[in-house]
Amino acid sequence: MAERRLLLLAVALLLACAAFLLWNLRQPVGFILGLRTTKLAALVLVGIATGAATVLFQTVAMNRLLTPGIVGFDALFIFLQTLLVFTLGGAGYTQLPRMLTFGIETVILMACAMLLFGTLLRKGATDVTRMILTGVILGVLLRGLAEMIQRLLDPSEFAVVQGAMFVSFGAVKKEALWIAAPVLAVAVFLAWRMSASLDVAALGRTRARSLGLDHDRLVLSALALVAAMVAVSTALVGPITFLGLLAASIAHGLMKSHRHAVLIPAAGLIGALILVAGQFVFERVLGLQSTLAVLVEFFGGFLFLALVLKRRPA
Amino acid sequence: MIETKDLRVSIAQSELIHGISVTIPKGGITAVIGPNGAGKSTLLHTIAGLQSAASGTVTIDGTDIARARPQDRARLVAILTQNQPMLGRLTVEDLVSFGRWPHHRGRPRPEDTAIVAEALAEFALTDLSDRLLDTLSGGQRQRAFVAMAWAQSTPWLFLDEPLNALDPRHARDLMTRLRDLSAPGGDGRSVVVVLHDLNTAAGFADHVIALKFGHLFLAGPKAEVLTAENLSSLFDTPFQTTEVKGRQLVFPD
């Protein structure tokens, strides 16, 4: 049953991709198709990676509310962007080869993400309030630091930072995609290979260990994959805080299964479907230039609030 | 046989188990009793390898538990822990199937399915196998978790307060099943169970380990441990014993 739903999701994503590429295609076909393919690849990669990463993160955190973005990853990204522009200067930052900045950002984000998630999950990962509070406070701290540095920037440098703070699928470079695609593909595949162990981990640390799972090693491996997936996709297009929460929540609701072998691909496909279908409707049907991320954040934020309010007190 | 030697356990820089050396014989039911905070659950978790010892050793059937690989440990000891949060909505059958994980590591074989069916039948859960855990009563859930530990097919079965949330009938049924399983002629398992109800210990256990303030207070056959004098001293409150229909009953005076 779950496998059939997975197949339907894959078909829906394929149709959305075809519509995104071919709808209202005009001359020069080759040029427009090239632009659309790059954008589509970014949408699909980011959607799949964000959805899969969120399912992994929620399982090791033993919490269906948390996403890497909610516990401070997005604030970390903005802080790093600001710091890079501040240290290199606006001109220095923009003159750097795009591939180099993408590489630097990815590596720094991965290292910081491991540090951040490791700190948050080291003790009391099941204590939701503590996790959210710590994440929010860290986020506020990092945003505060970023704002302080932004006040020291001149207007042109500030404009560079501002450009990086918002999601942009249009500005993705093909070269960055060539690096991001294999990294994300390998990370998603490795995450999927962990499925059986993740099923056991969802029983809780003590039970999982009593069943012979090396729980701490699994958490570390999962966090490394989450760090790789969110770092690469954020460095590629920018932060989308609530996309993962939307994708993972819909995947759990739709699949009605505890098996990560279907949850991970489902969340990935749903993440990609939200972005591709949403961008298609926005760009092609409505002809709007507004960014889809605003809508994703609106509905995702709303869902987050609904989930928090729905939770029974512990 | 389980043997602990000078076992010390500290949590958050506080020593909870103070050098316990005890032997748990193979076969039958061994009850672990003692006042709140005596270290019963900590001792059980440490013997099962879920809690690291600060010093001392634990051997189970000759295996040093601290050096055993996690999957080898899980084939030696199954443990039912006290209620802990879990993620996801599982059916009873899904949960019981996890008991086979140490044996198939995610690739179930036909014999695993057969053992799961057996476990469901053994704990009267067959009719509930498709029910989601969160739609069950506390007692039904507890039985499902015991069935999961049973399905692990280990020579040692540890149960930390398994009678919580069970009504008297199901508590008696569970203890009767455990006694049948661990009795000579059963399936050769040894059961170690943390109990608060001393009369259940008196009725079903073969051996009793009594702990007090993290120290071993007494260990031995139940007739030697569960005396009014010992229990009065263990719980710092006067106890009396009596016999009803050939069964020993203990109660605070």
Side-chain angles (χ1 to χ4, degrees), chain A residues 202 206-207 209-212 258, chain B residues 50 70 84 87 90 102 105 152:
Chain A
T206 306
R207 283 197 199 99
R209 291 183 67 221
S210 77
L211 290 171
H258 67 281
Chain B
L50 300 182
Q84 288 188 329
L87 209 59
L90 299 179
R105 309 286 291 179
Q152 219 168 312

Side-chain angles (χ1 to χ4, degrees), chain A:
Chain A
M1 196 66 173
E3 279 78 4
R4 205 175 145 196
R5 288 185 185 140
L6 208 56
L7 195 69
L8 285 174
L9 277 176
V11 172
L13 179 60
L14 279 177
L15 290 175
C17 288
F20 184 87
L21 280 179
L22 305 173
W23 184 275
N24 211 7
L25 193 62
R26 295 184 192 136
Q27 291 294 341
V29 172
F31 177 72
I32 293 177
L33 216 48
L35 285 180
R36 286 185 181 184
T37 308
T38 306
K39 203 171 193 175
L40 178 68
L43 289 166
V44 170
L45 281 176
V46 170
I48 289 177
T50 309
T54 305
V55 169
L56 236 69
F57 189 76
Q58 290 182 341
T59 298
V60 295
M62 286 295 287
N63 190 290
R64 290 269 172 80
L65 285 176
L66 298 180
T67 70
I70 291 170
V71 297
F73 186 79
D74 294 351
L76 179 70
F77 174 77
I78 292 168
F79 173 69
L80 284 177
Q81 289 287 340
T82 311
L83 204 62
L84 271 176
V85 175
F86 181 70
T87 47
L88 299 174
Y93 178 78
T94 45
Q95 278 168 13
L96 275 178
R98 186 69 190 101
M99 292 306 294
L100 187 66
T101 49
F102 175 72
I104 293 172
E105 279 170 18
T106 304
V107 170
I108 296 176
L109 279 173
M110 266 190 74
C112 292
M114 281 298 288
L115 201 69
L116 174 70
F117 302 154
T119 309
L120 289 176
L121 293 177
R122 191 175 298 146
K123 285 181 190 169
T126 52
D127 184 349
V128 191
T129 318
R130 181 181 166 277
M131 283 276 291
I132 294 180
L133 270 178
T134 315
V136 167
I137 289 167
L138 270 175
V140 169
L141 175 73
L142 289 170
R143 276 178 212 278
L145 285 172
E147 275 178 27
M148 193 186 79
I149 299 171
Q150 282 162 14
R151 286 176 196 279
L152 303 174
L153 299 175
D154 66 43
S156 61
E157 287 174 333
F158 181 69
V160 175
V161 174
Q162 213 175 22
M165 275 162 58
F166 298 105
V167 176
S168 168
F169 290 99
V172 174
K173 293 280 175 288
K174 256 186 192 168
E175 300 77 29
L177 276 175
W178 285 116
I179 297 178
V183 172
L184 293 178
V186 169
V188 172
F189 175 70
L190 290 177
W192 182 76
R193 285 235 332 195
M194 278 184 184
S195 294
S197 299
L198 289 165
D199 293 348
V200 179
L203 294 176
R205 183 171 185 269
T206 306
R207 283 197 199 99
R209 291 183 67 221
S210 77
L211 290 171
L213 182 76
D214 191 342
H215 187 268
D216 296 348
R217 197 169 144 187
L218 177 88
V219 168
L220 200 68
S221 313
L223 287 182
L225 291 178
V226 170
M229 288 191 267
V230 292
V232 173
S233 53
T234 307
L236 200 61
V237 298
I240 321 178
T241 308
F242 289 113
L243 174 66
L245 185 73
L246 267 179
S249 300
I250 296 172
H252 284 295
L254 203 64
M255 292 294 125
K256 298 194 190 314
S257 171
H258 67 281
R259 289 165 50 221
H260 286 77
V262 293
L263 286 173
I264 291 172
L269 289 172
I270 290 166
L273 190 60
I274 289 172
L275 290 183
V276 177
Q279 196 72 23
F280 167 72
V281 172
F282 252 73
E283 265 185 38
R284 308 277 186 277
V285 180
L286 302 177
L288 296 173
Q289 290 306 309
S290 172
T291 170
L292 167 71
V294 176
L295 217 58
V296 171
E297 303 297 43
F298 175 76
F299 284 113
F302 195 70
L303 175 72
F304 179 68
L305 272 179
L307 289 173
V308 169
L309 294 173
K310 205 181 122 189
R311 276 180 75 88
R312 281 169 292 183

Side-chain angles (χ1 to χ4, degrees), chain B residues 55-67:
Chain B
S55 65
T57 57
V58 177
T59 54
I60 301 182
D61 298 339
T63 303
D64 182 348
I65 211 70
R67 291 167 189 266

Side-chain angles (χ1 to χ4, degrees), chain B residues 88-210:
Chain B
R89 301 185 81 198
L90 299 179
T91 65
V92 171
E93 190 173 0
D94 290 335
L95 180 79
V96 177
S97 302
F98 275 114
R100 300 303 302 156
W101 202 80
H103 302 274
H104 62 59
R105 309 286 291 179
R107 291 186 181 135
R109 304 150 300 173
E111 64 253 42
D112 297 310
T113 315
I115 291 170
V116 169
E118 210 180 317
L120 290 168
E122 188 69 44
F123 291 91
L125 291 164
T126 308
D127 291 343
L128 300 173
S129 62
D130 291 332
R131 287 270 300 273
L132 289 168
L133 282 178
D134 51 14
T135 66
L136 301 181
S137 70
Q140 290 169 325
R141 272 171 65 97
Q142 187 75 328
R143 270 159 53 209
F145 279 106
V146 176
M148 177 180 108
W150 186 90
Q152 219 168 312
S153 307
T154 52
W156 290 89
L157 183 57
F158 288 6
L159 306 164
D160 191 359
E161 299 188 30
L163 306 185
N164 283 354
L166 294 190
D167 59 37
R169 186 195 130 199
H170 282 110
R172 188 202 57 197
D173 287 355
L174 175 62
M175 289 309 295
T176 306
R177 281 193 189 95
L178 293 175
R179 187 172 58 189
D180 293 346
L181 287 170
S182 59
D187 66 357
R189 301 194 200 197
S190 311
V191 176
V192 183
V193 55
V194 173
L195 290 173
H196 273 298
D197 182 359
L198 298 173
N199 287 311
T200 304
F204 292 93
D206 301 291
H207 306 274
V208 175
I209 294 172

